[in-house]
Amino acid sequence: MAEKYNPFDNVLAAVDNAASILGYKEKEYAALKHPERELKVSIPMVMDDGNVRVFDAYRVQHSTSRGPAKGGIRFHQNVNQDEVKALAAWMSFKCAVVNVPYGGGKGGVVVQPNELSEHELHELTRKYTTAIAPIIGPEEDIPAPDVGTTPQIMAWFMDTYSSLQGHSVLNCVTGKPIGLGGILGRGDATGRGVMITVKNILNKMNKPLQGAKVAIQGMGNVGSATARFLSAEGMKVVAVSDVSCGLYKADGLNIPAILEYLSKDRKNLLKDYTEEGAKIIDNGELLETEVDVLIPAAMENMINEDNADRIKAPVIVEAANGPVTKEADEILEKMGITVVPDILANAGGVVVSYFEWVQNTQAFCWTEDQVIYQLKSMMDDAFESVWSIAKDNNVTLRTGAYLIAVKRVVEAQNGRGLYV
Ligand code: NAD
């Protein structure tokens, strides 16, 4: 997928579209189309078997106009510079939509983490941290978890950065374990935000939540929490998948049992899970299932020009970043399918990461109730703003979200002035 579709093109198309509706001249927003800083590093490592492997890795800061760059670190075999650029830009616009005082950044290491031993993963994390340390920091650029990375990896990251500074710097990274400055509720914050978004969109469209059928692609951090929250809210999760396969059961899968199985071992995959009445499907079939809400929660470009016309769900909520290509977006719009965009739908993670950074910076701990209350309030406000601007301009929710985001980033950038 990564070769056929360049996700950074998706970002540029969305930015151009919003800028033209906002009436901006090219010179007013040209800088947004280029990341401020791109760092590429090579990480040589002695593996457990004595061989040396060299890993390619990146950190990209798309914009720091609204505050320090903020965005996760991805450990995945398909990571490449264009993908990291796109993910960094999406972070700038996501932070702007939910109005947290950050710009956007992202990092990635080209590696299949499941193939590494715990010791190798630890070592790779420390070497990556050291390699990008010159450009990160609590006031410069604050990483977090993304695909393939975990709270434990954030703990190693924080410890390495702290060692380089000579003292503990808890606010250099978010998504840490609770005992190391992590905030209650961060682990499932993105999924909780997706659940809030699903409720908001169904409510606006006057559709019932109880018993509504949902399919979720990807059962990692985001997909698992989304499945748990939505089934607890009374939705019927009829299909889920991971990289190995999909599972389908017409009267709803046993989500607690699936989550228990997946949490037992980070290498557990759905292909080895069994449940009476559940049948194995492939990831393509999952996307084309007849459901009320489809939630892609895996990787970019999953819904594209090759399969968009076979989507049957009337509503798609983008829990992953960039799961729908720009070509697919046009097809879905013509089919009357409502897409709630990633920069709104999956913003719960960065909102709670912001609370974690505030908690560490102030050295004052938040309760889980405070986190949940503030998250819901910020997600609801952002949803309402996006919904209203989209209706007022008769545009899609994606364009609505970019109208808000691009305006906020351009105003910040031009308010500072381009330094000449
Ligand atoms: P993760 O590594 O925890 O899980 C990824 C899941 O996707 C796994 O179940 C994996 O098996 C599955 N997967 C990978 N490739 C697949 C494929 N080709 N087909 C089907 N399934 C596949 O990652 P995550 O943190 O849950 O992130 C998922 C998405 O959500 C990514 O797009 C990420 O950028 C986005 N996101 C994550 C967060 C966060 O807080 N972790 C926040 C916002 C957005």
Side-chain angles (χ1 to χ4, degrees):
M1 294 277 181
E3 307 81 41
K4 187 168 169 191
Y5 302 101
N6 180 341
F8 195 63
D9 289 344
N10 272 7
V11 187
L12 297 182
V15 170
D16 278 332
N17 181 33
S20 97
I21 297 172
L22 289 162
Y24 287 136
K25 298 188 187 82
E26 174 75 18
K27 67 175 186 180
E28 289 174 285
Y29 75 101
L32 278 193
K33 300 208 254 176
H34 305 266
E36 282 176 21
R37 190 187 252 169
E38 295 175 57
L39 177 64
K40 153 103 184 16
V41 293
S42 304
I43 305 175
M45 224 177 81
V46 182
M47 308 301 287
D48 289 352
D49 63 6
N51 285 322
V52 170
R53 268 181 73 184
V54 183
F55 296 91
D56 288 333
Y58 307 89
R59 184 74 193 172
V60 173
Q61 294 162 355
H62 169 258
S63 169
T64 54
S65 294
R66 300 184 67 257
K70 184 87 189 81
I73 297 167
R74 180 172 289 195
F75 282 7
H76 192 270
Q77 66 275 13
N78 292 345
V79 162
N80 61 71
Q81 193 146 356
D82 278 324
E83 182 187 67
V84 183
K85 273 165 67 176
L87 290 163
W90 281 319
M91 287 308 299
S92 301
F93 299 120
K94 190 180 304 180
C95 292
V97 169
V98 287
N99 218 359
V100 292
Y102 289 136
K106 204 84 179 191
V109 180
V110 187
V111 59
Q112 206 162 348
N114 282 357
E115 286 184 351
L116 300 192
S117 68
E118 189 82 352
H119 168 256
E120 289 168 336
L121 199 57
H122 186 169
E123 177 116 348
L124 181 64
T125 303
R126 289 194 180 274
K127 288 193 157 225
Y128 173 66
T129 310
T130 307
I132 67 166
I135 66 162
I136 62 154
E139 305 296 338
E140 292 86 20
D141 182 355
I142 309 129
D146 189 71
V147 174
T149 52
T150 58
Q152 175 61 72
I153 290 175
M154 299 305 114
W156 292 329
F157 189 100
M158 183 274 290
D159 184 65
T160 309
Y161 186 81
S162 296
S163 302
L164 293 169
Q165 303 302 312
H167 58 95
S168 275
V169 189
L170 295 180
N171 56 356
C172 73
V173 66
T174 58
K176 301 179 293 294
I178 302 301
L180 286 170
I183 195 163
L184 294 163
R186 173 61 184 91
D188 52 18
T190 309
R192 186 183 289 279
V194 174
M195 175 268 286
I196 293 168
T197 306
V198 169
K199 287 174 85 170
N200 281 333
I201 189 68
L202 291 181
N203 185 31
K204 285 286 184 202
M205 295 174 80
N206 292 318
K207 294 183 178 213
L209 180 88
Q210 291 302 317
K213 288 185 184 171
V214 59
I216 303 173
Q217 183 190 48
M219 280 297 272
N221 174 296
V222 178
S224 299
T226 300
R228 177 161 54 82
F229 285 124
L230 291 180
S231 63
E233 290 287 334
M235 286 182 86
K236 209 181 270 184
V237 182
V238 297
V240 298
S241 72
D242 65 10
V243 70
S244 71
C245 73
L247 293 174
Y248 175 82
K249 190 169 163 186
D251 52 357
L253 291 157
N254 184 345
I255 294 303
I258 292 176
L259 297 182
E260 198 196 331
Y261 163 77
L262 290 176
S263 67
K264 271 192 190 140
D265 188 320
R266 73 182 167 103
K267 296 189 180 180
N268 275 1
L269 290 168
L270 289 175
K271 70 178 172 49
D272 301 317
Y273 169 85
T274 49
E275 178 179 325
E276 208 185 321
K279 68 168 185 173
I280 292 213
I281 56 172
D282 65 35
N283 264 291
E285 286 176 81
L286 177 132
L287 295 173
E288 297 163 22
T289 315
E290 279 196 38
V291 284
D292 300 294
V293 183
L294 173 62
I295 304 185
M299 305 296 285
E300 304 90 75
N301 306 327
M302 291 294 177
I303 303 174
N304 51 58
E305 66 206 16
D306 297 332
N307 62 0
D309 62 352
R310 295 198 298 274
I311 302 291
K312 297 182 192 72
V315 177
I316 298 175
V317 176
E318 293 185 330
N321 286 307
V324 176
T325 66
K326 62 183 188 323
E327 295 81 10
D329 236 0
E330 286 166 18
I331 297 169
L332 297 171
E333 189 182 355
K334 284 193 192 121
M335 290 165 70
I337 293 176
T338 299
V339 180
V340 187
D342 45 9
I343 59 169
L344 171 65
N346 71 32
V350 77
V351 167
V352 178
S353 271
Y354 166 55
F355 301 158
E356 182 174 328
W357 179 79
V358 170
Q359 168 175 283
N360 297 152
T361 304
Q362 297 182 329
F364 183 84
C365 292
W366 290 39
T367 65
E368 191 161 13
D369 284 351
Q370 286 172 313
V371 170
I372 292 170
Y373 176 81
Q374 290 286 355
L375 169 65
K376 178 165 168 21
S377 155
M378 288 175 73
M379 292 298 295
D380 285 346
D381 286 353
F383 185 91
E384 207 51 50
S385 310
V386 170
W387 179 266
S388 304
I389 200 167
K391 293 297 141 206
D392 292 350
N393 289 274
N394 197 21
V395 294
T396 62
L397 294 174
R398 187 183 316 280
T399 301
Y402 274 90
L403 287 175
I404 294 171
V406 168
K407 187 163 188 282
R408 284 185 178 152
V409 181
V410 167
E411 283 178 356
Q413 195 166 61
N414 293 343
R416 285 167 177 256
L418 297 181
Y419 182 56
V420 281

